[in-house]
Structures are given as structure tokens and as C-alpha cells.
Amino acid sequence: RRTAVAANGGAASDDDDAEHDAATGAGDDQYAGLVEEALSDVDSEEIRAYLLTPAEVRLRSQLWHTLNKEYLEEQKGKHDADEQARRQGKIPRKKHKRRRTQAATAAEATHDALTRTSAKVDYKVLQSLFDDDAT
């Protein structure tokens, strides 16, 4: 039996297909007609060429884990450090992304962008550029 490989590297199952159909309304006659039309020029042999056998899935998984071993070890180390901190009662703070406010004018947007990227900007000259445009 051959299984399709999902985008995340796992094998897709019939249950996944049923859930997808229920969630997206893919069981509709209109959708079925579109799929049938889109696949009308694809023969079964070509489709089989894209599907992986369970042995191929295992091989690709092993290859991925081998290639990404350093990353996986790094993530495991981070997870272990967090667990140890929790056990000791030290809860690590989560990093929050800074929210950016929208600038009301082009001058504000330029000022904000340059403030983040350069410390060598003469803001008086920059302001005069926009003051000249306003008059």
C-alpha cells in the first residue's frame, strides 16, 4: 500500500482527507467537478510516481533527522533548560514581539524607519526635508 506524504513530512491518512473535506466543504459537487477536470489529463501511473511507499517515507524521515541533527539537539537543549528552570521554580519569561504603531504621515514613517536602522542620522535635516515639502 502506498501513502501520500503531507507537506509536513508525515503520511496523509483517509481520516485527514475526510476532516479536510468536512472543514472546507470539499465534498461539494462543484469542487468535485473541478478536481476531476484538473486531474483528467493525469494518468494513474503519473500519480503513483508522486506517492511514497512506507519504506521511502521512513528513509526520507531518517535523512531529514540526520541532516537536521544539530538543530534538533539545540531545540532539545532549550526544552530541557526550560523544564529544569520550571522544576526549580524559575519560570523563564516569554519574549514578546514589539508592536509597531502605524505612522500618520510619511515624515513619521521615515523617522521611525531611520531610528531603527541608523544612529547617524541628523534628524533636524530630515525634519527640514519634510517641512520644505509641506510649504
Side-chain angles (χ1 to χ4, degrees):
R1 181 176 166 229
R2 300 172 80 86
T3 58
V5 175
N8 65 0
S13 69
D14 293 337
D15 292 336
D16 292 338
D17 293 339
E19 288 175 12
H20 179 266
D21 290 349
T24 62
D28 298 342
D29 293 334
Q30 180 182 7
Y31 180 79
L34 291 174
V35 169
E36 192 173 305
E37 183 180 325
L39 296 175
S40 64
D41 60 336
V42 181
D43 63 354
S44 296
E45 285 301 315
E46 187 174 356
I47 292 173
R48 280 191 206 100
Y50 291 110
L51 301 177
L52 299 176
T53 64
E56 291 170 326
V57 170
R58 283 190 302 277
L59 180 64
R60 283 192 180 201
S61 177
Q62 288 173 348
L63 178 63
W64 187 90
H65 282 86
T66 301
L67 293 174
N68 294 290
K69 184 178 183 177
E70 185 177 310
Y71 168 78
L72 293 171
E73 288 172 353
E74 182 180 303
Q75 293 302 310
K76 185 178 182 330
K78 287 180 182 179
H79 177 72
D80 292 345
D82 286 347
E83 283 297 317
Q84 185 177 7
R86 282 192 193 101
R87 275 188 251 120
Q88 294 175 353
K90 300 176 188 174
I91 301 174
R93 292 185 183 192
K94 293 186 178 184
K95 296 178 183 177
H96 295 284
K97 291 184 179 180
R98 191 176 94 191
R99 294 183 186 188
R100 294 185 180 172
T101 58
Q102 286 204 333
T105 65
E108 280 183 43
T110 305
H111 181 272
D112 291 345
L114 290 174
T115 302
R116 285 191 300 270
T117 58
S118 177
K120 298 180 180 181
V121 174
D122 186 348
Y123 294 104
K124 290 179 183 176
V125 173
L126 181 65
Q127 186 61 41
S128 70
L129 289 173
F130 286 101
D131 288 342
D132 292 341
D133 289 342
T135 57

CSV table of all heavy atoms in Angstrom, one decimal, residues 14-28 31:
chain,number,residue,atom,x,y,z
A,14,ASP,N,-6.6,8.6,5.4
A,14,ASP,CA,-8.0,8.8,4.9
A,14,ASP,C,-8.8,9.7,5.8
A,14,ASP,O,-9.6,10.5,5.4
A,14,ASP,CB,-8.7,7.5,4.7
A,14,ASP,CG,-8.1,6.7,3.6
A,14,ASP,OD1,-7.4,7.3,2.7
A,14,ASP,OD2,-8.2,5.4,3.6
A,15,ASP,N,-8.5,9.6,7.2
A,15,ASP,CA,-9.2,10.4,8.2
A,15,ASP,C,-8.8,11.9,7.9
A,15,ASP,O,-9.7,12.8,8.1
A,15,ASP,CB,-8.7,10.0,9.6
A,15,ASP,CG,-9.2,8.6,10.0
A,15,ASP,OD1,-10.2,8.2,9.4
A,15,ASP,OD2,-8.6,8.0,10.8
A,16,ASP,N,-7.6,12.2,7.6
A,16,ASP,CA,-7.2,13.6,7.3
A,16,ASP,C,-8.0,14.1,6.1
A,16,ASP,O,-8.4,15.3,6.1
A,16,ASP,CB,-5.7,13.7,7.0
A,16,ASP,CG,-4.8,13.4,8.2
A,16,ASP,OD1,-5.3,13.5,9.3
A,16,ASP,OD2,-3.7,13.0,8.0
A,17,ASP,N,-8.1,13.3,5.1
A,17,ASP,CA,-8.9,13.7,3.9
A,17,ASP,C,-10.4,14.0,4.3
A,17,ASP,O,-10.9,15.0,3.8
A,17,ASP,CB,-8.8,12.7,2.8
A,17,ASP,CG,-7.4,12.5,2.2
A,17,ASP,OD1,-6.6,13.4,2.4
A,17,ASP,OD2,-7.2,11.4,1.6
A,18,ALA,N,-10.9,13.1,5.1
A,18,ALA,CA,-12.3,13.3,5.5
A,18,ALA,C,-12.5,14.6,6.3
A,18,ALA,O,-13.5,15.3,6.1
A,18,ALA,CB,-12.8,12.1,6.3
A,19,GLU,N,-11.6,14.8,7.2
A,19,GLU,CA,-11.6,16.1,8.0
A,19,GLU,C,-11.5,17.3,7.2
A,19,GLU,O,-12.2,18.3,7.3
A,19,GLU,CB,-10.5,16.1,9.1
A,19,GLU,CG,-10.8,15.1,10.2
A,19,GLU,CD,-9.6,15.0,11.2
A,19,GLU,OE1,-8.7,15.9,11.1
A,19,GLU,OE2,-9.6,14.1,12.0
A,20,HIS,N,-10.6,17.2,6.2
A,20,HIS,CA,-10.4,18.4,5.3
A,20,HIS,C,-11.6,18.6,4.5
A,20,HIS,O,-12.1,19.7,4.3
A,20,HIS,CB,-9.2,18.1,4.3
A,20,HIS,CG,-8.9,19.2,3.4
A,20,HIS,ND1,-9.5,19.2,2.1
A,20,HIS,CD2,-8.3,20.3,3.5
A,20,HIS,CE1,-9.1,20.3,1.5
A,20,HIS,NE2,-8.4,21.0,2.3
A,21,ASP,N,-12.2,17.6,4.0
A,21,ASP,CA,-13.5,17.7,3.2
A,21,ASP,C,-14.6,18.3,4.0
A,21,ASP,O,-15.3,19.2,3.6
A,21,ASP,CB,-13.9,16.4,2.6
A,21,ASP,CG,-13.0,15.8,1.6
A,21,ASP,OD1,-12.1,16.6,1.1
A,21,ASP,OD2,-13.2,14.6,1.2
A,22,ALA,N,-14.7,17.9,5.3
A,22,ALA,CA,-15.8,18.4,6.1
A,22,ALA,C,-15.5,19.9,6.5
A,22,ALA,O,-16.4,20.7,6.5
A,22,ALA,CB,-15.8,17.6,7.4
A,23,ALA,N,-14.2,20.2,6.7
A,23,ALA,CA,-13.9,21.6,7.1
A,23,ALA,C,-14.0,22.6,5.9
A,23,ALA,O,-14.4,23.7,6.1
A,23,ALA,CB,-12.5,21.6,7.7
A,24,THR,N,-13.7,22.1,4.8
A,24,THR,CA,-13.6,23.1,3.6
A,24,THR,C,-14.8,22.9,2.7
A,24,THR,O,-15.0,23.7,1.8
A,24,THR,CB,-12.4,22.8,2.8
A,24,THR,OG1,-12.5,21.5,2.2
A,24,THR,CG2,-11.1,23.0,3.5
A,25,GLY,N,-15.7,22.0,3.0
A,25,GLY,CA,-16.8,21.8,2.1
A,25,GLY,C,-16.4,21.2,0.8
A,25,GLY,O,-17.0,21.4,-0.3
A,26,ALA,N,-15.3,20.5,0.8
A,26,ALA,CA,-14.7,19.9,-0.4
A,26,ALA,C,-15.6,18.8,-1.0
A,26,ALA,O,-15.4,18.4,-2.1
A,26,ALA,CB,-13.3,19.3,-0.1
A,27,GLY,N,-16.6,18.3,-0.3
A,27,GLY,CA,-17.5,17.3,-0.8
A,27,GLY,C,-18.5,17.8,-1.7
A,27,GLY,O,-19.2,17.1,-2.3
A,28,ASP,N,-18.5,19.1,-1.9
A,28,ASP,CA,-19.5,19.7,-2.8
A,28,ASP,C,-19.3,19.3,-4.2
A,28,ASP,O,-18.2,19.0,-4.7
A,28,ASP,CB,-19.4,21.3,-2.8
A,28,ASP,CG,-19.7,21.8,-1.4
A,28,ASP,OD1,-20.3,21.1,-0.6
A,28,ASP,OD2,-19.3,23.0,-1.2
A,31,TYR,N,-16.8,21.4,-6.3
A,31,TYR,CA,-15.4,21.2,-6.1
A,31,TYR,C,-15.0,19.8,-6.7
A,31,TYR,O,-13.9,19.8,-7.3
A,31,TYR,CB,-15.2,21.1,-4.5
A,31,TYR,CG,-13.7,20.8,-4.2
A,31,TYR,CD1,-12.8,21.8,-4.2
A,31,TYR,CD2,-13.3,19.6,-3.8
A,31,TYR,CE1,-11.5,21.6,-3.9
A,31,TYR,CE2,-12.0,19.3,-3.5
A,31,TYR,CZ,-11.1,20.3,-3.5
A,31,TYR,OH,-9.8,20.1,-3.2
